[in-house]
Amino acid sequence: MVPLSHYLIFTAILFTLGVIGVLTRRNAIVVFMSIELMLNSVNLSMVTFARFLNSMDGQIAVFLVMTVAAAEVAVGLALIVAIYRKKETINIDEMHIMQG
Amino acid sequence: MAHALMFYLFAALAIAASLAVILHRNIFKSATFLAGMLFCLAALFVLLDAEFIAVVQVLIYIGAITILIVFAIMLTTKINDEHKEQFNSQKFLAPILALGLLGLILTIVVKIQWTTAEISPVPSDILGLIGTALLSDFIFPFDVVSILLLVALIGATYIAKQEDRKPLVTEVDETGEHGDGKVKHALHAEEVEH
């Protein structure tokens, strides 16, 4: 069995890649995909802990996180499409009407 | 041994696919790499004896979320978007900060002595156990998530439907303006009469 720390290091790397994607990309859909990367890395770490502690609570938490992620993607992509219809772009740098 | 080999293989594939997701210029290819990365994670779930989660991952993430993202790409992306600048002005500072975060997490992971239970074989009836737990100990989060899904369904429909109502609203606005104009004229006329 692969040691626990290797799983955790792997999830940390995935999470960091997601953070880099969210911070640096300009396209809103790619930012969405990076958020999915982060959610998935956390899911994997929860399943890892569930396995190494012989508990099932981690898997149920992952199930709930997946449901929330599905809801988030549905609303978020609807928002992106609505914004595109209004502004003809999904470049995040140009969404600054609330900047004051 | 084979277990460890599979873990390192799928982990390396997943990291390569995530790098491609955040670096590729073509958004559609990014989405495809995202599907590949999710599939690698499903394989890792199987390695961790979480078959139910692996199946749900394939169904929800690859089957539903990736398809939704592809639809959004088709609705919003132009052919020549690929040649535009893909990164914002943070592209040098942000990775440094993120690597700092990675270093922090890795320090914590390596320094802590993780106490793990003796790994016992997974009970064969794990699906039944998950179902029982969802409807007994976790009934409240289960209900909240159900309501959240309903709200998200209604909200997403409402937000995406805005466009259909917009022409109607502008028509109403225009007629409203005309109406106001008429009222103003009428007021003027009254003032003149007075």
Side-chain angles (χ1 to χ4, degrees), chain A residues 7-25 30-31 33-42 45, chain B residues 14-15 18-19 21-23 37 91 93-107 109:
Chain A
Y7 277 100
L8 293 183
I9 291 169
F10 168 63
T11 57
I13 294 172
L14 270 195
F15 190 86
T16 313
L17 288 176
V19 171
I20 293 176
V22 168
L23 289 180
T24 59
R25 291 299 295 248
V30 183
V31 171
M33 292 195 249
S34 305
I35 292 174
E36 295 305 317
L37 286 186
M38 291 156 71
L39 282 169
N40 268 286
S41 72
V42 175
S45 72
Chain B
I15 288 176
S18 345
L19 268 176
V21 169
I22 63 169
L23 293 178
M37 175 265 175
K91 64 183 162 187
L93 190 58
I96 298 172
L97 275 176
L99 287 181
L101 175 71
L102 177 66
L104 201 66
I105 301 175
L106 289 188
T107 318
V109 167

Side-chain angles (χ1 to χ4, degrees), chain B residues 6 13 15 22 28 31 46-47 88 102 105 139 142 148-149 151 157 162 175 179-180 182 188-189 193-194:
Chain B
M6 295 288 269
L13 277 177
I15 288 176
I22 63 169
F28 182 77
V46 173
L47 287 182
N88 60 20
L102 177 66
I105 301 175
I139 183 73
F142 186 72
L148 175 78
L149 275 181
V151 172
T157 320
Q162 293 273 1
T175 51
D180 283 348
K182 274 174 197 164
H188 271 296
E193 274 180 23
H194 281 295

Side-chain angles (χ1 to χ4, degrees), chain B residues 19 58 73 89-90 97 107 117-119 139 152 167 194:
Chain B
L19 268 176
V58 172
I73 290 172
S89 52
Q90 310 290 326
L97 275 176
T107 318
E118 278 295 307
I119 294 174
I139 183 73
H194 281 295

Side-chain angles (χ1 to χ4, degrees), chain B residues 84-149:
Chain B
K84 288 185 190 159
E85 175 62 45
Q86 297 285 325
F87 297 93
N88 60 20
S89 52
Q90 310 290 326
K91 64 183 162 187
F92 299 114
L93 190 58
I96 298 172
L97 275 176
L99 287 181
L101 175 71
L102 177 66
L104 201 66
I105 301 175
L106 289 188
T107 318
I108 294 168
V109 167
V110 172
K111 271 203 171 177
I112 289 182
Q113 293 289 323
W114 299 100
T115 52
T116 54
E118 278 295 307
I119 294 174
S120 56
V122 178
S124 59
D125 183 30
I126 186 150
L127 202 55
L129 288 175
I130 288 178
T132 314
L134 265 183
L135 290 178
S136 57
D137 293 345
F138 292 88
I139 183 73
F140 182 62
F142 186 72
D143 276 350
V144 171
V145 158
S146 319
I147 295 170
L148 175 78
L149 275 181

